[in-house]
């Protein structure tokens, strides 16, 4: 915990700060009220710039506010705050700060922190939105049956070899085989087709050995292979009937769907037929809300927090291996608290941010930091410098800083051992830790922190509601904080 003893500042600098704060106040008056709305356009991306206690960190100045404040004020703010951009190639990420695009909530509120309803599933293919069988296509994709790409071509016809591959892989999936290798497939060779990949041939030979193809003609009257021909709905159903006869517990008793044609089966129809036959559920955790989390260690945790809007996303990247920065930690923590308490939080004034020397109330993280300071949870994140108390937005946080704060917020003590306590925590690890500590919709498997090297002890006490403040206690805290931050 920092001690907040402040040195005197020059009269000139105080004048500039006072002038800027007045202009910002004017800006809020002109623009009525601002609401922090977790709309789909917002995104929290990390910026890994190195902070120096002697120099205030730079924050983005929003265009929406700049248009409402005098040109002089904008120029002065830019001088003090500037813009940040870092190099992803060296492990840093460029920042693109979103604008506030919320609707005014009330005449007395300057910001409202709220969480939207669970977000829709991310778009996997660009051409399936109008398909009757979009859900079935997503189910196949989320279970690793379909390959990635921008287009699915739902109305294209399915070849016999492709249908066999999909059915065999779905059958293996139901039997808990790993689809990333050839596990469970036969080593025997019954057919060889030089035009087909070895992986596909193995699936065809396996389907033949398992008696899935008893009603399917693999060759025409001239002895030519039919595997590259389009499969008909009847042929497709005959394969499924054969599987049902062999393993009746694995398939639905009825999987009839209306087919557009009697001679050809479309890819969308194939998806619906296979999903309904095998009762294949949507594997939500493998629908990547970010393009860089697929098959990563903490994908399920990141996906769950993103669907609850605790993590922002706009079909972008999450950078799960990037180190956690001050501002990102505050946003994720407060959104988790708001989700837990189930009601929006109104920010009626920036009582706690005003005394700080380098925080723009227009910053994306501003209302989150205000609320977190009011709860007396985020005070350890402040930094004392020679020119005042600051919030270093881009400062990287260690495990020993994050764990006690989360433990306090979740009201669940987590004893962190000395091992690696001063190492930085990654964004993926933070998502995992928040979900674990706040018990956010746990999966069937027990969420563990062993992979975080946080092999401490979690309290067995019953989880309680997140902290909330009201009435005289709130007023007293605000007065005490502002007096503490006041420069003598």
């Amino acid at each position: 915990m920092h001690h907040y003893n402040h040195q005197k500042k020059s009269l000139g600098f105080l004048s500039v700060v006072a002038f800027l704060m007045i202009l910002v106040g004017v800006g809020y008056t002109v623009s009525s009220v601002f609401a922090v709305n977790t709309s789909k356009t917002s995104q929290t991306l990390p910026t890994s710039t190195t902070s120096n206690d002697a120099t205030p960190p730079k924050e983005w100045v929003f265009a929406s506010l700049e248009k409402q404040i005098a040109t002089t004020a904008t120029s002065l703010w830019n001088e003090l705050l500037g813009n940040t951009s870092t190099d992803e190639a060296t492990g840093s990420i460029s920042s693109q700060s979103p604008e506030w695009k919320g609707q005014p909530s009330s005449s007395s509120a300057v910001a409202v922190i709220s969480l939207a309803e669970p977000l829709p599933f991310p778009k996997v293919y660009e051409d399936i939105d109008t398909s009757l069988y979009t859900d079935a296509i997503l189910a196949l994709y989320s279970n690793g049956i379909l390959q990635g790409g921008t287009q699915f071509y739902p109305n294209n016809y399915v070849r016999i070899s492709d249908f066999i591959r999909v059915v065999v892989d779905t059958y293996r999936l139901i039997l808990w085989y790993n689809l990333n290798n050839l596990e469970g497939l036969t080593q025997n060779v019954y057919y060889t087709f030089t035009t087909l990949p070895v992986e596909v041939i193995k699936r065809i030979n396996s389907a033949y050995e398992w008696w899935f193809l008893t009603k399917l003609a693999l060759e025409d009257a001239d002895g030519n292979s039919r595997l590259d021909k389009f499969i008909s709905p009847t042929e497709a159903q005959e394969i499924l009937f054969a599987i049902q006869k062999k393993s009746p517990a694995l398939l639905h008793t009825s999987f009839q769907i209306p087919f557009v044609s009697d001679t050809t089966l479309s890819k969308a129809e194939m998806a619906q037929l296979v999903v309904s036959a095998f009762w294949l559920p949507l594997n939500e955790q493998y629908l990547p809300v970010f393009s860089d989390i697929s098959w990563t260690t903490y994908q399920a945790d990141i996906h769950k927090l993103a669907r609850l809007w605790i993590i922002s996303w706009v079909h972008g990247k999450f950078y799960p291996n990037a180190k956690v920065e001050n501002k990102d930690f505050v946003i994720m923590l407060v959104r988790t608290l708001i989700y837990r308490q189930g009601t929006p939080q109104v920010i009626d004034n920036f009582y706690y941010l005003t005394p700080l020397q380098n925080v723009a109330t227009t910053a994306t993280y501003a209302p989150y930091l205000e609320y977190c300071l009011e709860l007396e949870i985020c005070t350890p994140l402040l930094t004392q410098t020679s020119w005042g108390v600051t919030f270093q937005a881009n400062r990287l946080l260690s495990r020993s800083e994050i764990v006690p704060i989360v433990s306090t917020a979740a009201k669940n003590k987590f004893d962190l051992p000395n091992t690696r306590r001063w190492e930085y925590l990654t964004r993926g690890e933070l998502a995992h830790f928040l979900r674990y500590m706040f018990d956010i919709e746990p999966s069937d498997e027990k969420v563990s922190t062993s992979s975080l090297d946080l092999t401490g002890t979690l309290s067995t006490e019953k989880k309680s509601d997140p902290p909330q403040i009201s009435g005289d206690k709130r007023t007293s805290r605000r007065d005490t904080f502002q007096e503490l931050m006041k420069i003598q």
Side-chain angles (χ1 to χ4, degrees):
M1 178 72 69
H2 295 286
H3 299 285
Y4 307 115
N5 297 320
H6 311 291
Q7 298 182 357
K8 292 184 178 180
K9 301 189 62 67
S10 66
L11 179 60
F13 182 81
L14 280 173
S15 300
V16 171
V17 172
F19 176 62
L20 292 178
M21 295 307 298
I22 291 171
L23 287 173
V24 171
V26 172
Y28 276 109
T29 302
V30 172
S31 59
S32 182
V33 295
F34 285 83
V36 176
N37 188 354
T38 51
S39 63
K40 296 181 183 179
T41 57
S42 64
Q43 185 176 13
T44 304
L45 293 179
T47 54
S48 297
T49 53
T50 303
S51 298
N52 188 331
D53 285 350
T55 306
K58 301 176 181 180
E59 291 295 333
W60 190 274
V61 180
F62 296 99
S64 59
L65 186 61
E66 290 174 346
K67 293 176 182 177
Q68 301 170 53
I69 301 179
T71 305
T72 304
T74 302
S75 175
L76 288 171
W77 272 120
N78 285 334
E79 253 184 78
L80 289 177
L81 304 177
N83 299 318
T84 58
S85 179
T86 52
D87 185 8
E88 182 179 350
T90 61
S92 301
I93 299 102
S94 298
S95 176
Q96 299 176 355
S97 299
E99 292 184 29
W100 290 7
K101 295 191 176 182
Q103 297 297 323
S105 57
S106 69
S107 58
S108 62
V110 297
V112 176
I113 306 174
S114 61
L115 292 180
E117 293 296 320
L119 295 174
F121 295 118
K123 182 176 289 188
V124 173
Y125 298 109
E126 296 176 352
D127 58 351
I128 66 173
D129 290 346
T130 59
S131 173
L132 294 175
Y133 304 125
T134 300
D135 291 343
I137 296 170
L138 286 176
L140 286 182
Y141 178 89
S142 68
N143 283 284
I145 307 297
L146 299 179
Q147 305 302 314
T150 58
Q151 305 291 325
F152 178 70
Y153 305 105
N155 297 322
N156 279 12
Y157 302 142
V158 180
R159 300 184 187 278
I160 293 176
S161 59
D162 289 332
F163 185 81
I164 293 174
R165 181 194 67 78
V166 168
V167 167
V168 168
D169 277 349
T170 306
Y171 180 78
R172 292 168 63 215
L173 179 72
I174 299 299
L175 295 178
W176 297 95
Y177 286 116
N178 186 352
L179 299 187
N180 294 324
N181 54 43
L182 302 179
E183 183 182 2
L185 297 176
T186 184
Q187 299 299 319
N188 299 324
V189 178
Y190 303 98
Y191 293 93
T192 57
F193 305 95
T194 56
T195 58
L196 293 176
V198 174
E199 293 79 6
V200 176
I201 295 175
K202 276 189 170 292
R203 287 164 173 79
I204 294 170
N205 283 319
S206 297
Y208 178 82
E209 183 173 285
W210 298 336
W211 295 84
F212 293 173
L213 309 180
T214 54
K215 297 291 184 68
L216 179 67
L218 296 180
E219 296 178 348
D220 60 20
D222 298 325
N224 298 317
S225 171
R226 293 186 62 241
L227 290 173
D228 61 343
K229 304 302 181 183
F230 298 131
I231 196 170
S232 69
T234 300
E235 290 174 321
Q237 290 179 95
E238 289 292 349
I239 293 175
L240 294 174
F241 287 140
I243 300 175
Q244 187 183 61
K245 184 176 181 180
K246 175 182 173 62
S247 305
L250 298 184
L251 269 72
H252 198 281
T253 55
S254 175
F255 39 82
Q256 297 291 330
I257 66 171
F259 300 103
V260 174
S261 169
D262 293 332
T263 58
T264 55
L265 182 74
S266 72
K267 294 181 68 176
E269 290 172 338
M270 174 196 69
Q272 181 65 22
L273 187 61
V274 172
V275 168
S276 60
F278 284 94
W279 291 345
L280 191 65
L282 181 73
N283 191 354
E284 182 179 331
Q285 71 179 48
Y286 291 116
L287 286 177
V289 293
F290 299 103
S291 62
D292 59 349
I293 68 170
S294 297
W295 311 109
T296 58
T297 305
Y298 306 110
Q299 176 176 334
D301 304 297
I302 297 168
H303 185 274
K304 178 57 66 177
L305 296 192
R307 287 272 288 142
L308 296 174
W309 203 239
I310 292 172
I311 298 173
S312 304
W313 64 275
V314 190
H315 296 291
K317 293 184 177 182
F318 179 70
Y319 302 98
N321 296 321
K323 304 300 186 292
V324 175
E325 294 181 347
N326 232 342
K327 61 179 183 296
D328 295 326
F329 172 63
V330 168
I331 291 174
M332 289 175 64
L333 176 61
V334 170
R335 283 181 172 175
T336 303
L337 290 171
I338 298 299
Y339 164 74
R340 281 284 306 278
Q341 74 182 34
T343 56
Q345 178 63 39
V346 177
I347 306 297
D348 52 4
N349 206 328
F350 289 111
Y351 294 98
Y352 294 87
L353 299 194
T354 302
L356 300 182
Q357 302 301 304
N358 66 327
V359 177
T361 54
T362 56
T364 308
Y365 64 82
Y368 300 95
L369 180 58
E370 174 74 19
Y371 181 57
C372 200
L373 289 173
E374 178 140 61
L375 294 177
E376 293 187 339
I377 294 175
C378 289
T379 309
L381 299 177
L382 302 180
T383 302
Q384 181 182 2
T385 69
S386 59
W387 54 280
V389 177
T390 68
F391 176 74
Q392 304 292 348
N394 299 326
R395 186 171 70 84
L396 302 182
L397 299 181
S398 67
R399 298 162 186 260
S400 62
E401 292 176 289
I402 289 176
V403 170
I405 293 175
V406 174
S407 296
T408 300
K411 293 189 176 180
N412 282 288
K413 183 175 175 56
F414 188 89
D415 294 322
L416 180 66
N418 291 327
T419 307
R420 303 180 64 184
R421 64 184 296 113
W422 297 112
E423 289 188 10
Y424 296 129
L425 202 68
T426 68
R427 289 164 59 82
E429 289 171 336
L430 176 59
H432 178 72
F433 191 56
L434 286 174
R435 187 181 179 192
Y436 172 75
M437 291 296 287
F438 286 93
D439 198 25
I440 298 176
E441 297 188 25
S443 58
D444 293 336
E445 291 187 11
K446 177 64 178 175
V447 181
S448 169
T449 57
S450 59
S451 56
L452 300 184
D453 290 314
L454 298 177
T455 52
T457 303
L458 180 63
S459 172
T460 57
E461 295 177 5
K462 188 177 188 295
K463 295 181 186 294
S464 55
D465 293 333
Q468 299 185 41
I469 305 170
S470 60
D472 295 339
K473 190 173 183 181
R474 168 173 290 173
T475 302
S476 175
R477 283 191 179 182
R478 290 173 176 175
D479 293 342
T480 302
F481 184 86
Q482 292 200 52
E483 187 66 27
L484 183 65
M485 294 294 109
K486 190 178 298 183
I487 298 175
Q488 302 299 326

